[in-house]
Amino acid sequence: MGANEHGVCIANEAVNAREPAAETEALLGMDLVRLGLERGSTAKEALDVIVALLEEHGQGGNYYEDAGSCHSFQSAYLIVDHEEAWVLETVGKYWAAEKVTEGVRCICNQLSLTTKIDAEHPELRSYAQRQGWWTGEDEFNFSEVFSPADDHLHCCAGKDSLEKQEEGITVQTMIDILRDKASGVCIDSESFLTTASMASVLPQSRGSPCIHYFTGTPDPSRSIFKPFIFVDDVKLVPKAQSPCFGDDDPARREPRFQEKPDRRHELYKAHEWARAVIASGQEQGRRLRRTMLELEKQGLEAMEEILASPAPPDPAEVADLFYDCVDTEIKFFK
């Protein structure tokens, strides 16, 4: 997931499909997110970038730094900007996309596009026919054709929550859903942990800034969502950047991922202590979580004031916004 200075945001999810993802090294879903954000100034431009790169380079390879086995996936994307939103779902180099015009949408580990398709790979349907997955006689339903048997069911855990609050969705609504462990949106298990979370406000008025809230740390139920605004000369945040290993990075050496280096940044390491204290269930952990939520609330209220103001914020005043939030959080944990 990520955002760029044009107000384009992209979310990515690994999906199960009838055709297994290639284990051969190619582009990963996260690569395509970064490239779409780098090259797209609108949601549609970012979508076009992603599908063009799929056609040229394909997708595949190991999503994990694990030399012992390969974990490869197909990908789905939610791509949005100030004015429009798209759901893009891919199987190999083949893809389909729907322009979202109403309601709420989510992506998850199952294909969700059905018969409403607004753009697609030119050979999508003929490929499905060659594979024997579609006769060409019935109405073309993307998820039914490309999903494993009996796996094209309702799947998005957060969608019901969003639909119930559709008329009054706020940043706090999104944060609460991202923290929801009961529904499975937020995962904290021995085998998997929600790595980081993000919520964005994209005002339709171009005079108002897009505001993005990042945790930069795992498990959003025990993390602080911190605001970020794109401006010129924005202050970099080394304490929230993973260390650079240069040419010695196992991701650069072939064969890749034979080792797993310590990629934790300073904020991540400081936050590990906080997660452990909160998870203990002791009074110290409850006090810590209350204080973290109060810090987060102060940030949310400050951003609401910016959005309510008729004048855009002074870039000099928000250039170090995220830097200061991270610095305050680390000092607080210490």
Side-chain angles (χ1 to χ4, degrees):
M1 62 192 173
N4 69 17
E5 71 274 22
H6 303 291
V8 179
C9 299
I10 306 179
N12 164 237
E13 184 68 83
V15 293
N16 298 313
R18 174 174 281 183
E19 179 176 301
E23 295 186 2
T24 305
E25 185 175 297
L27 292 173
L28 301 176
M30 292 89 80
D31 296 325
L32 291 164
V33 168
R34 287 190 289 269
L35 291 164
L37 292 171
E38 177 189 67
R39 303 177 186 183
S41 60
T42 67
K44 185 58 167 59
E45 281 185 8
L47 186 153
D48 291 341
V49 166
I50 290 172
V51 299
L53 290 168
L54 275 177
E55 182 70 26
E56 183 175 357
H57 302 287
Q59 63 177 315
N62 201 348
Y63 272 69
Y64 289 59
E65 292 186 304
D66 182 356
S69 59
C70 182
H71 308 266
S72 57
F73 304 101
Q74 311 287 10
S75 290
Y77 305 86
L78 182 60
I79 311 172
V80 303
D81 63 22
H82 292 269
E83 298 176 350
E84 62 180 7
W86 291 82
V87 173
L88 168 66
E89 296 182 341
T90 67
V91 178
K93 72 174 185 177
Y94 300 97
W95 57 274
E98 177 188 346
K99 186 175 181 179
V100 182
T101 56
E102 61 181 3
V104 298
R105 288 299 296 268
C106 301
I107 56 173
C108 64
N109 297 120
Q110 292 175 312
L111 297 172
S112 65
L113 298 184
T114 56
T115 58
K116 184 181 182 301
I117 298 174
D118 296 303
E120 63 186 76
H121 188 283
E123 299 176 13
L124 176 70
R125 302 186 190 212
S126 60
Y127 177 73
Q129 286 183 290
R130 291 196 303 271
Q131 298 299 112
W133 299 336
W134 182 55
T135 64
E137 298 176 359
D138 300 329
E139 184 177 24
F140 185 81
N141 184 309
F142 182 80
S143 62
E144 287 186 1
V145 170
F146 285 96
S147 294
D150 302 321
D151 195 33
H152 50 275
L153 306 173
H154 176 74
C155 62
C156 292
K159 189 174 182 182
D160 289 340
S161 298
L162 284 169
E163 287 178 338
K164 290 175 183 176
Q165 305 178 69
E166 185 174 344
E167 299 304 319
I169 294 175
T170 64
V171 175
Q172 191 63 60
T173 305
M174 298 305 301
I175 289 174
D176 291 343
I177 291 173
L178 290 171
R179 285 176 167 153
D180 186 1
K181 292 188 176 180
S183 70
V185 172
C186 177
I187 301 177
D188 178 16
S189 66
E190 292 183 3
S191 59
F192 189 82
L193 178 67
T194 298
T195 307
S197 297
M198 164 187 164
S200 294
V201 179
L202 308 180
Q204 290 185 311
S205 169
R206 294 283 180 163
S208 297
C210 297
I211 301 178
H212 312 281
Y213 299 86
F214 299 97
T215 61
T217 52
D219 188 351
S221 70
R222 299 166 185 162
S223 294
I224 300 174
F225 283 81
K226 299 168 284 292
F228 175 90
I229 298 175
F230 279 99
V231 292
D232 292 338
D233 301 319
V234 67
K235 191 171 184 178
L236 299 181
V237 189
K239 293 177 181 179
Q241 294 174 322
S242 294
C244 178
F245 299 95
D247 292 337
D248 291 329
D249 195 314
R252 291 177 176 265
R253 299 199 306 263
E254 296 187 10
R256 303 191 198 280
F257 306 128
Q258 300 304 296
E259 306 169 38
K260 188 173 182 179
D262 185 356
R263 299 191 185 278
R264 296 174 302 166
H265 48 65
E266 187 174 342
L267 173 61
Y268 190 110
K269 292 178 180 178
H271 178 259
E272 285 184 313
W273 170 83
R275 281 184 53 227
V277 171
I278 295 172
S280 70
Q282 302 298 313
E283 178 58 29
Q284 181 189 13
R286 290 190 287 271
R287 287 199 308 269
L288 174 61
R289 189 169 189 274
R290 286 195 297 268
T291 304
M292 290 171 66
L293 291 177
E294 181 57 33
L295 289 173
E296 179 180 277
K297 180 183 176 183
Q298 293 173 15
L300 290 171
E301 291 175 347
M303 294 305 101
E304 286 296 327
E305 291 180 7
I306 287 178
L307 290 172
S309 173
D314 181 349
E317 293 182 359
V318 297
D320 55 359
L321 175 63
F322 192 71
Y323 180 98
D324 288 344
C325 289
V326 169
D327 195 53
T328 299
E329 184 176 358
I330 291 175
K331 289 177 180 177
F332 171 70
F333 291 150
K334 289 181 177 179

Coordinates of all heavy atoms in Angstrom, one line a residue, residues 16 48 54 77-78 116 146 153 155 161 168 246 267:
N16 N -6.1 -15.8 -4.2 CA -6.1 -17.2 -4.6 C -6.8 -17.2 -6.0 O -7.9 -16.6 -6.2 CB -6.9 -18.0 -3.7 CG -6.3 -18.1 -2.3 OD1 -5.1 -18.2 -2.2 ND2 -7.1 -17.9 -1.3
D48 N -3.0 1.9 -15.7 CA -2.4 1.6 -17.0 C -0.9 1.2 -16.9 O -0.4 0.4 -17.6 CB -2.5 2.8 -17.9 CG -3.9 3.1 -18.3 OD1 -4.8 2.2 -18.2 OD2 -4.3 4.3 -18.7
L54 N 2.8 -5.6 -16.3 CA 2.4 -7.0 -16.3 C 2.6 -7.7 -17.7 O 3.1 -8.8 -17.8 CB 0.9 -7.2 -15.9 CG 0.6 -7.2 -14.4 CD1 -0.9 -7.2 -14.2 CD2 1.3 -8.4 -13.7
Y77 N -5.7 -5.1 -6.7 CA -5.3 -3.8 -6.3 C -6.6 -2.9 -6.2 O -7.6 -3.0 -6.9 CB -4.5 -3.1 -7.4 CG -3.2 -3.9 -7.7 CD1 -3.3 -5.0 -8.7 CD2 -2.0 -3.7 -7.1 CE1 -2.1 -5.7 -8.9 CE2 -0.9 -4.4 -7.4 CZ -1.0 -5.4 -8.3 OH 0.1 -6.2 -8.6
L78 N -6.6 -2.0 -5.2 CA -7.6 -0.9 -5.1 C -6.8 0.4 -5.4 O -5.9 0.7 -4.6 CB -8.2 -0.9 -3.7 CG -9.3 0.1 -3.4 CD1 -10.5 -0.1 -4.4 CD2 -9.7 0.0 -2.0
K116 N -19.4 -7.0 -14.1 CA -19.2 -5.6 -14.4 C -17.7 -5.4 -14.6 O -17.0 -5.3 -13.6 CB -19.8 -4.7 -13.3 CG -19.7 -3.2 -13.6 CD -20.2 -2.3 -12.5 CE -20.2 -0.8 -12.9 NZ -18.8 -0.4 -13.1
F146 N -12.0 -17.5 -12.9 CA -10.6 -17.6 -12.6 C -10.4 -18.0 -11.1 O -9.2 -18.2 -10.7 CB -9.9 -16.2 -12.8 CG -9.6 -16.0 -14.3 CD1 -10.5 -15.3 -15.1 CD2 -8.5 -16.6 -14.9 CE1 -10.3 -15.1 -16.4 CE2 -8.2 -16.4 -16.2 CZ -9.1 -15.6 -17.0
L153 N -16.8 -16.6 -3.3 CA -17.8 -16.2 -2.4 C -17.5 -14.9 -1.7 O -16.4 -14.3 -1.9 CB -18.0 -17.3 -1.3 CG -18.2 -18.7 -1.8 CD1 -18.2 -19.7 -0.6 CD2 -19.5 -18.8 -2.6
C155 N -16.2 -12.3 0.7 CA -15.0 -12.6 1.4 C -14.4 -11.4 2.2 O -13.6 -11.6 3.1 CB -13.9 -13.1 0.4 SG -13.4 -11.8 -0.8
S161 N -18.8 -3.9 7.8 CA -18.7 -2.8 8.7 C -18.8 -1.5 8.0 O -19.4 -0.5 8.4 CB -17.3 -2.9 9.4 OG -17.3 -4.1 10.2
G168 N -21.6 7.8 7.0 CA -20.8 8.6 7.9 C -19.4 8.1 8.2 O -18.9 8.0 9.3
G246 N 22.9 -2.2 0.8 CA 23.6 -2.0 -0.5 C 23.7 -3.3 -1.3 O 22.8 -4.1 -1.4
L267 N 12.0 2.9 14.9 CA 10.6 3.0 15.4 C 10.1 1.6 15.6 O 9.4 1.3 16.6 CB 9.7 3.7 14.4 CG 8.2 3.7 14.7 CD1 8.0 4.4 16.1 CD2 7.4 4.4 13.6

